[in-house]
Amino acid sequence: MLYVDVILPLPLANRYTYSLPEALEGQVAEGSRVIVPFGRKKFYTALVARIHSDPPAGYEIKDVVEVLDPHPILLPGQFRLWEWIASYYLCTPGDVYKAALPSGMKLESETIVTLNTDYEADIPLSVREQQVLDQLTADPEQCITQLEKHAEPGRNLLPVVNSLLAKGAIHIKEELKRSYKPKTEARVKLGKGFDTEERIRPLFDELARAPKQLALLMKYLELSGFFNNASTLREVSRKELLARADATPAAFTGLAEKGIFETYQYEVGRLDKAHTATIDINPLNEAQQAAFDAITACFREKNVCLLHGVTSSGKTEIYIHLIRRTIEAGRQVLYLLPEIALTTQITERLRRVFGNRIGIYHSKFPDAERVEIWQKQLKPEGHYDIILGVRSSVFLPFHNLGLVIVDEEHETTYKQQDPAPRYHARDTAIVLAGMHGAKVLLGTATPSIDTYHNALAGKYGLVQLGERYKDMQLPDIRIVDIKELARKKMMNGPFSPDLLAEVRRALEQHEQVILFQNRRGFAPMVECRVCGWVPKCKNCDVSLTYHKGLNQMTCHYCGATYDVPHLCPACGSVELVNRGFGTEKIEDHIRAVFPDAKVARMDLDTTRSRSAYERIISDFQSGRTHILIGTQMVSKGLDFDHVSVVGILNADTMLNYPDFRAHERAFQLMAQVAGRAGRRDKRGLVILQTKSPELPVIRQVVANDYRAMYDEQTGERTVFHYPPFCRLIYVYLKHRKEEVAAQAANILAAWIRTAFGERVLGPDKPPVGRVQLLFIKKIVIKLDLGMSGSKVRDYLLTAQQRLLADERFHSLTVYYDVDPM
Ligand code: ADP
Ligand code: ZN
Ligand code: ZN
């Protein structure tokens, strides 16, 4: 008897073992997907991690129901990466499985109920039973969730379904919904009996009274090459045929009814194939060549190299040269980007050089396309040599990875926040590369302090590129003290007179402007002028953001929306004022000041679809829009040619953020957004508005002095013991009742303290203490760098198990954020 250990798409600590019916033996491999029952009447797609013949003891073993893949859909190394992620980031293999595979490869289960039409009631049915049967008479196949919609609200229908099942009135079937369907198109062929020339000829007369049908038939014969060679016809799609013949579907149906045409489905791929390389690679200039040589020299000794190059120094050109070298050596490249917004520009640049050797992988792509890329990458031949993608592309199969490029390595979007696995794609990519013996290049103008620290310590190589391409100058950064101006009543809304004057000058000279504000929506807060009441989310401990365009209030934590209040519910006053500036309000104001300028806004709200990004960027690139307002999205490596002025509207919101990385992050954002200013022939100008011009980090931005920022921040972090001088693990506990969460957190913190003493802080209420109706407590653990990670993890997981075994805490959620951002 054979058994399989599988990973289920559920947050379970362990693998589960199923027996393999004899009929399925030989059809399954390690890495195949199988369908297994789990829990009550639920079926899941599970992944086979191991096949063996040791019967497990202690529980009843169920059978595998079906094998989906005779061949593995994971390459052997991928399991090892999954295991590393689960163990390092303190989550389950099921969490990793869910994040790794596109949803089309994970089937869902829904119970379908069908009516037994032969059933005759011999004993009276209850009212609810009769209702269900009536519903099923109207529609004889429904899933339980659907039936429940019409039933009495709030009451579980399962017992009713159960009793009907026992009486034989209904059947139940578990139907697995296959959400990935291969894409097909209808193609046309000649019907049986019409596929020879002798049979076709007479039709020309017979169809004389149906000229449209005749014309359509003639077109088909032409397109398929029938008269050239009737035995090897070219395949013709129905759509193409109708279009080329300019015919109606009616004419087609006419021929199909006569049996002259038949249609059949043909599987076509979704991945577009028509990209050919059109240009040669640009030669590197002297500084770039020197950096390139330094990188390749570094790779002889080290696996990871940091390329610290100022904005517009041509880092992307260096990547392109490295990519070419790698694929010429027959190895694959993974090119990671922090954000979908960036893929458009980079894709265009890379496609021009590498044509269809490059595949793009990101979450805004339809799932079916992601499935196809996955399957293409599994093949030993014919896969993409280069994958360009965001975070989740580290999960793709790679046969022979030679190089990973992590562009804008400092970006926090590389870290997944919610749900688990809370992995960092950069760090995961380094582990992935290690498994393949591949090299990693981390590129950025503003390295993360963690990475720079590793480079200075010699763990990573370090290559600097200090000059911009064609000696373009770095922008002139001018500080404007808005506290002083506000006191003198000289501000025009969020704009200083200086900023408006520079924007006006730029527009007059047909140059472009970027305005950066790191808050979306219209106003981050609404407040009653009389009593100070502030509308808050019912589910979270957060004040609501006013979105004027949508005319609603939104919670940025859980997404809940509310009507805009017109009266203060606390005191009845109508004097509700909005405070602060979101991108939407900035847009309103700037349109009022410059009614003739074309203004666009790029933030989460305006870029929900993939095409929206592309349109905003291409409109700005081509000069159709003059002013671009945006959140941190506009800071990320976008390359524009005519931007002469960049306005940073309020540095303080970034600086006051309660996190030890706030100043590092503010420096990075400001330096990056400043880097968008300037043109080939003209130095750019940045207006930096702040209430705290005296802060060192402001000076460091103005001087573009990364090293000064690094030294100052690491100085503070040594004293207060923060990364990179320790490793952080946050432990979160969530519960509907605040007392339960607090009690559990106190117990857990005390246990962890017995092992780690002073290194444990808390429990505390995090800045947002309640999200989606759950109260949150947080324990912080600061681990010394020398400590064994695996011992710590084992200790934490054991403590967690012990805590959850306590009856009081059975509905408590415990999760971890390792290396939090
Ligand atoms: P970075 O990635 O460092 O911000 P880019 O690679 O985007 O810089 O380069 C900035 C601009 O300079 C781009 O428009 C790029 O095409 C151009 N450029 C940089 N290096 C070269 C080169 N060697 N040949 C031609 N154009 C270059
Ligand atoms: Zn009030
Ligand atoms: Zn909320």
Side-chain angles (χ1 to χ4, degrees):
M1 188 70 177
L2 284 184
Y3 301 91
V4 293
D5 297 345
V6 303
I7 301 173
L8 284 150
L10 298 165
L12 306 165
N14 299 311
R15 292 174 179 176
Y16 276 69
T17 304
Y18 291 84
S19 45
L20 199 62
E22 229 165 87
L24 298 180
E25 274 179 30
Q27 290 182 31
V28 60
E30 285 174 7
S32 302
R33 291 172 305 156
V34 291
I35 307 282
V36 296
F38 186 83
R40 292 182 65 227
K41 293 267 170 219
K42 277 277 175 201
F43 288 81
Y44 289 93
T45 309
L47 250 162
V48 177
R50 198 166 77 91
I51 306 176
H52 58 89
S53 49
D54 326 321
Y59 57 94
E60 185 208 342
I61 303 209
K62 294 182 188 162
D63 270 352
V64 167
V65 176
E66 204 185 321
V67 176
L68 291 182
D69 319 289
H71 304 293
I73 54 132
L74 284 191
L75 300 176
Q78 287 181 278
F79 263 130
R80 274 192 292 144
L81 185 71
W82 287 23
E83 272 161 15
W84 178 82
I85 292 175
S87 120
Y88 186 84
Y89 291 106
L90 286 160
C91 61
T92 67
D95 291 326
V96 185
Y97 169 28
K98 278 200 290 182
L101 288 188
S103 31
M105 294 173 81
K106 297 168 288 190
L107 305 192
E108 293 163 27
S109 162
E110 289 209 73
T111 313
I112 307 280
V113 181
T114 57
L115 189 66
N116 176 8
T117 42
D118 297 334
Y119 174 71
E120 281 180 36
D122 47 9
I123 46 167
L125 296 173
S126 77
V127 179
R128 294 185 75 205
E129 286 174 335
Q130 192 57 55
Q131 276 172 350
V132 169
L133 286 190
D134 290 346
Q135 269 175 262
L136 282 170
T137 313
D139 180 1
E141 251 203 3
Q142 296 187 50
C143 66
I144 292 181
T145 29
Q146 205 175 338
L147 287 168
E148 250 161 356
K149 273 188 207 141
H150 304 280
E152 244 172 286
R155 285 187 66 183
N156 192 338
L157 212 55
L158 275 174
V160 183
V161 172
N162 227 349
S163 68
L164 283 171
L165 194 62
K167 290 179 178 130
I170 56 172
H171 299 302
I172 253 181
K173 75 175 177 197
E174 280 288 335
E175 197 169 72
L176 291 161
K177 199 173 84 204
R178 215 176 259 260
S179 43
Y180 170 70
K181 286 204 187 65
K183 186 177 174 184
T184 58
E185 67 177 21
R187 293 196 174 173
V188 186
K189 62 179 180 185
L190 293 172
K192 285 247 166 347
F194 293 100
D195 46 3
T196 58
E197 211 173 319
E198 302 88 81
R199 298 301 198 87
I200 288 290
R201 293 262 173 223
L203 291 177
F204 299 161
D205 289 334
E206 288 166 31
L207 289 174
R209 270 179 299 148
K212 283 185 184 148
Q213 293 182 15
L214 182 58
L216 188 59
L217 176 64
M218 295 308 286
K219 197 61 176 183
Y220 171 79
L221 297 174
E222 176 200 325
L223 289 174
S224 65
F226 184 84
F227 292 115
N228 301 335
N229 185 349
S231 56
T232 55
L233 294 182
R234 192 178 85 80
E235 300 206 39
V236 179
S237 83
R238 181 174 181 274
K239 194 171 154 199
E240 182 196 357
L241 176 61
L242 290 183
R244 296 281 295 272
D246 200 12
T248 60
F252 189 92
T253 312
L255 287 168
E257 276 167 359
K258 295 190 176 85
I260 299 169
F261 277 172
E262 276 177 17
T263 53
Y264 60 99
Q265 294 297 318
Y266 184 86
E267 189 174 333
V268 290
R270 290 178 175 77
L271 310 177
D272 43 3
K273 297 169 187 84
H275 296 285
T276 38
T278 49
I279 61 157
D280 275 350
I281 202 160
N282 290 324
L284 297 178
N285 69 17
E286 213 174 301
Q288 292 167 343
Q289 187 62 46
F292 178 88
D293 294 340
I295 293 166
T296 49
C298 163
F299 280 158
R300 282 195 277 277
E301 286 162 22
K302 294 187 169 132
N303 292 328
V304 183
C305 180
L306 168 63
L307 171 60
H308 180 200
V310 292
T311 50
S312 292
S313 53
K315 292 184 291 297
T316 316
E317 299 294 330
I318 295 178
Y319 303 157
I320 290 173
H321 282 254
L322 286 166
I323 292 170
R324 182 174 65 176
R325 229 178 62 134
T326 310
I327 62 177
E328 275 174 2
R331 303 188 72 182
Q332 289 176 289
V333 177
L334 169 61
Y335 187 142
L336 285 176
L337 285 165
E339 171 123 25
I340 299 163
L342 269 179
T343 54
T344 315
Q345 279 202 336
I346 304 280
T347 305
E348 275 172 27
R349 268 172 89 174
L350 294 194
R351 279 237 163 99
R352 267 178 272 150
V353 183
F354 299 112
N356 56 10
R357 299 180 76 169
I358 177 164
I360 323 287
Y361 192 73
H362 66 59
S363 54
K364 287 256 161 99
F365 271 16
D367 194 70
E369 251 173 64
R370 306 195 332 138
V371 173
E372 282 181 23
I373 293 191
W374 187 288
Q375 271 155 356
K376 188 177 168 96
Q377 294 312 90
L378 268 183
K379 293 184 198 148
E381 304 277 315
H383 48 250
Y384 291 119
D385 297 317
I386 309 161
I387 288 288
L388 179 71
V390 295
R391 203 163 60 203
S392 59
S393 359
V394 297
F395 291 114
L396 279 171
F398 290 96
H399 286 274
N400 186 7
L401 191 61
L403 175 70
V404 178
I405 292 164
V406 185
D407 198 8
E408 312 291 346
E409 69 81 30
H410 63 279
E411 279 297 342
T412 47
T413 40
Y414 278 126
K415 179 81 162 51
Q416 173 150 317
Q417 289 297 336
D418 248 335
R422 296 178 176 79
Y423 67 105
H424 198 301
R426 174 196 64 208
D427 300 345
T428 305
I430 291 174
V431 172
L432 172 73
M435 292 174 172
H436 284 265
K439 302 295 176 186
V440 181
L441 183 67
L442 309 176
T444 174
T446 53
S448 71
I449 284 183
D450 300 308
T451 295
Y452 205 73
H453 178 77
N454 281 329
L456 292 185
K459 195 170 159 196
Y460 301 165
L462 175 59
V463 173
Q464 314 252 13
L465 188 55
E467 59 188 65
R468 294 180 123 190
Y469 182 66
K470 290 255 160 86
D471 289 329
M472 238 167 83
Q473 277 182 298
L474 278 165
D476 172 20
I477 303 182
R478 202 185 297 163
I479 301 174
V480 174
D481 182 349
I482 50 175
K483 190 154 102 214
E484 187 58 21
L485 289 168
R487 203 177 52 76
K488 294 185 187 149
K489 301 230 176 316
M490 286 169 68
M491 292 291 284
N492 181 346
F495 307 114
S496 60
D498 232 11
L499 178 56
L500 289 182
E502 294 299 342
V503 171
R504 176 163 293 117
R505 184 174 2 228
L507 293 176
E508 280 165 6
Q509 292 173 9
H510 305 286
E511 294 163 346
Q512 290 174 302
V513 175
I514 291 178
L515 298 177
F516 168 69
Q517 171 74 333
N518 214 14
R519 278 193 159 155
R520 67 191 171 95
F522 190 81
M525 201 166 99
V526 168
E527 194 182 44
C528 169
R529 197 194 289 262
V530 178
C531 74
W533 171 81
V534 170
K536 290 203 162 155
C537 179
K538 291 195 176 71
N539 311 324
C540 315
D541 209 356
V542 184
S543 55
L544 299 173
T545 300
Y546 171 44
H547 288 252
K548 190 179 175 194
L550 300 167
N551 191 30
Q552 66 189 17
M553 309 290 291
T554 307
C555 168
H556 284 184
Y557 275 79
C558 73
T561 58
Y562 300 82
D563 290 340
V564 179
H566 297 289
L567 275 183
C568 169
C571 75
S573 153
V574 291
E575 284 190 75
L576 297 179
V577 288
N578 52 64
R579 299 231 177 268
F581 289 91
T583 42
E584 200 185 350
K585 195 166 175 183
I586 308 272
E587 184 184 356
D588 258 27
H589 273 250
I590 205 83
R591 281 185 199 278
V593 183
F594 301 106
D596 297 331
K598 294 252 181 327
V599 181
R601 170 160 61 94
M602 183 156 82
D603 57 27
L604 204 63
D605 300 309
T606 61
T607 53
R608 302 255 178 224
S609 77
R610 166 179 162 194
S611 55
Y613 276 116
E614 292 174 8
R615 202 180 51 245
I616 294 170
I617 292 170
S618 80
D619 280 355
F620 195 61
Q621 218 156 20
S622 65
R624 274 191 294 276
T625 45
H626 311 131
I627 301 178
L628 180 64
I629 297 161
T631 54
Q632 30 83 24
M633 272 184 197
V634 297
S635 75
K636 291 186 184 164
L638 294 167
D639 191 16
F640 299 116
D641 240 0
H642 300 282
V643 176
S644 63
V645 174
V646 165
I648 298 172
L649 289 163
N650 186 345
D652 307 279
T653 46
M654 296 179 269
L655 295 168
N656 296 336
Y657 199 74
D659 182 81
F660 71 93
R661 285 199 177 90
H663 283 211
E664 174 189 354
R665 184 87 192 111
F667 178 92
Q668 288 162 342
L669 277 172
M670 289 192 273
Q672 291 282 347
V673 75
R676 308 303 129 219
R679 307 168 23 177
R680 291 279 141 75
D681 47 354
K682 188 178 167 190
R683 190 172 186 201
L685 174 68
V686 178
I687 305 280
L688 198 173
Q689 302 190 149
T690 175
K691 287 181 196 149
S692 5
E694 71 293 344
L695 282 178
V697 63
I698 299 289
R699 265 183 282 122
Q700 291 151 4
V701 171
V702 172
N704 192 37
D705 192 346
Y706 176 81
R707 190 54 196 257
M709 188 279 293
Y710 175 84
D711 288 339
E712 189 189 339
Q713 293 302 313
T714 47
E716 284 183 14
R717 291 191 202 175
T718 328
V719 175
F720 298 103
H721 204 50
Y722 274 109
F725 306 103
C726 71
R727 284 189 12 232
L728 285 180
I729 298 180
Y730 291 168
V731 185
Y732 289 99
L733 297 96
K734 277 190 182 173
H735 197 275
R736 271 179 181 272
K737 294 198 180 121
E738 185 158 28
E739 322 83 74
V740 179
Q743 199 180 17
N746 285 330
I747 295 174
L748 187 61
W751 287 343
I752 304 177
R753 260 197 195 97
T754 59
F756 302 107
E758 294 300 294
R759 298 178 193 89
V760 183
L761 310 178
D764 286 310
K765 205 173 126 182
V768 177
R770 193 172 63 127
V771 172
Q772 291 188 304
L773 296 172
L774 297 173
F775 288 93
I776 309 172
K777 299 289 161 195
K778 174 177 159 191
I779 302 168
V780 174
I781 310 173
K782 291 178 165 180
L783 296 175
D784 301 345
L785 294 176
M787 271 179 165
S788 148
S790 60
K791 284 214 182 96
V792 175
R793 287 189 288 274
D794 289 346
Y795 187 88
L796 288 176
L797 294 178
T798 313
Q800 174 189 339
Q801 264 173 7
R802 195 170 138 205
L803 186 73
L804 294 180
D806 187 326
E807 213 166 59
R808 289 170 296 171
F809 304 135
H810 73 263
S811 59
L812 184 82
T813 312
V814 180
Y815 64 90
Y816 305 87
D817 193 353
V818 178
D819 303 336
M821 292 307 275

